[in-house]
Amino acid sequence: MEIFGYVASVFIGISLGLIGGGGSILTVPVLVYLFGIEAFLATEYSLFIVGISSLIGSASYFKKGLVNFKTALVFGFPSIISIFLTRNYLLPLIPDEVFTFGSFIVTKDIFLLLLFAGLMITASYKMIQRSVVLKTINSEKNNTPLAVAEGSVVGILTGLVGAGGGFMIIPALVNLLKTPMKTAIGTSLVIISLNSLIGFFSSMNHVKIEWNLLSTITAIAIVGIIIGSQLSKKIDGKKLKPAFGWFILVMGIYIIIKELFF
């Protein structure tokens, strides 16, 4: 199954480069179901892969002046604090056996995968409903406190499941902090890279890292980002986003069915 995992890693990068986000949410399922990595370790690996990939992806936006570091600080600082606390204090509190339904035991890994599936379904809705952001973009209110609160929520979710949370960050930057869309995407990539890498390095001592495997998957994802960035010049990523959203929805439902019934 590993060969399929490497192929899927390319598509993770392509989706990031082509549609500006969403690809990171495939990382954990690829690691768990194609590489056979346990869910908790997969969230750790995902933080590194997503962090490095987003950092590479943000370079072109930085060169074009499409990164607002003040906005990144407002949203990113509470997010970084949340992810640090989540990885180092909240996750260790989750027991190996979370709860039971009769003879069915919901383990920590199953719990994390079900939580991740719920996040995938939420993300898919955001991708399918392309007009959601545009409905509130003309609001004159710059609501920094709400942005700080949402940054904290994103940090907790990123810490728990290892996903970047771009589907939450970009609407918050646009709607709450009045950031232009292209700048919001570039700034979001910077926030995601900081969140993910700080989360990874702050908790990496809790797990055993197979650096050869991790670096290989990350390198392949980066190649995918380069391909996706080139394709984005010829293909409108926005038109592909709803279709990708439906794919994420199916994947989320598949994870729930697999973990609960098989």
Side-chain angles (χ1 to χ4, degrees):
M1 293 296 286
E2 282 193 6
I3 185 65
F4 295 106
Y6 291 125
V7 173
S9 299
V10 176
F11 284 100
I12 289 172
I14 289 175
S15 63
L16 280 168
L18 189 58
I19 67 177
S24 65
I25 207 164
L26 291 176
T27 308
V28 168
V30 167
L31 293 172
V32 171
Y33 298 116
L34 297 182
F35 286 101
I37 298 171
E38 64 180 28
F40 177 71
L41 182 58
T43 65
E44 187 74 16
Y45 280 20
S46 179
L47 288 173
F48 184 83
I49 297 167
V50 171
I52 296 296
S53 301
S54 299
L55 187 63
I56 298 297
S58 67
S60 61
Y61 288 90
F62 176 74
K63 291 178 181 178
K64 296 174 184 177
L66 295 175
V67 175
N68 188 322
F69 287 101
K70 181 180 179 180
T71 299
L73 181 63
V74 169
F75 194 96
F77 185 69
S79 188
I80 288 170
I81 293 175
S82 293
I83 192 173
F84 175 82
L85 295 175
T86 299
R87 294 300 296 182
N88 289 280
Y89 298 102
L90 180 58
L91 267 178
L93 291 177
I94 300 176
D96 291 334
E97 295 185 4
V98 181
F99 53 87
T100 60
F101 284 116
S103 61
F104 181 74
I105 301 173
V106 178
T107 64
K108 184 175 185 176
D109 279 353
I110 292 175
F111 173 76
L112 290 176
L113 286 170
L114 291 176
L115 183 63
F116 193 89
L119 186 66
M120 291 182 78
I121 292 171
T122 303
S124 70
Y125 175 80
K126 297 284 187 179
M127 293 177 190
I128 294 167
Q129 298 294 323
R130 290 181 296 174
S131 61
V132 169
V133 172
L134 299 178
K135 289 179 181 178
T136 57
I137 193 171
N138 293 323
S139 172
E140 296 180 359
K141 189 174 182 180
N142 186 323
N143 204 325
T144 300
L146 269 180
V148 170
E150 186 156 348
S152 299
V153 172
V154 167
I156 293 171
L157 289 175
T158 300
L160 284 173
V161 301
F167 73 97
M168 291 179 64
I169 296 174
I170 292 176
L173 297 183
V174 172
N175 298 333
L176 302 179
L177 297 178
K178 317 314 300 172
T179 308
M181 178 57 74
K182 288 185 178 181
T183 303
I185 293 173
T187 304
S188 173
L189 287 171
V190 170
I191 294 170
I192 291 170
S193 63
L194 288 174
N195 282 355
S196 300
L197 290 176
I198 289 174
F200 174 82
F201 287 110
S202 69
S203 60
M204 62 179 288
N205 292 329
H206 299 164
V207 294
K208 183 179 180 180
I209 306 294
E210 292 185 34
W211 283 105
N212 288 336
L213 176 63
L214 182 56
S215 58
T216 300
I217 298 172
T218 304
I220 293 173
I222 290 172
V223 171
I225 284 180
I226 296 172
I227 295 172
S229 297
Q230 294 301 313
L231 289 175
S232 67
K233 299 176 182 178
K234 301 177 182 180
I235 303 173
D236 187 356
K238 291 181 180 178
K239 293 180 180 179
L240 296 178
K241 207 164 188 176
F244 188 73
W246 283 108
F247 175 71
I248 294 295
L249 176 62
V250 171
M251 283 294 298
I253 294 173
Y254 167 79
I255 291 173
I256 292 174
I257 293 174
K258 186 178 187 306
E259 295 303 322
L260 290 181
F261 303 105
F262 296 98

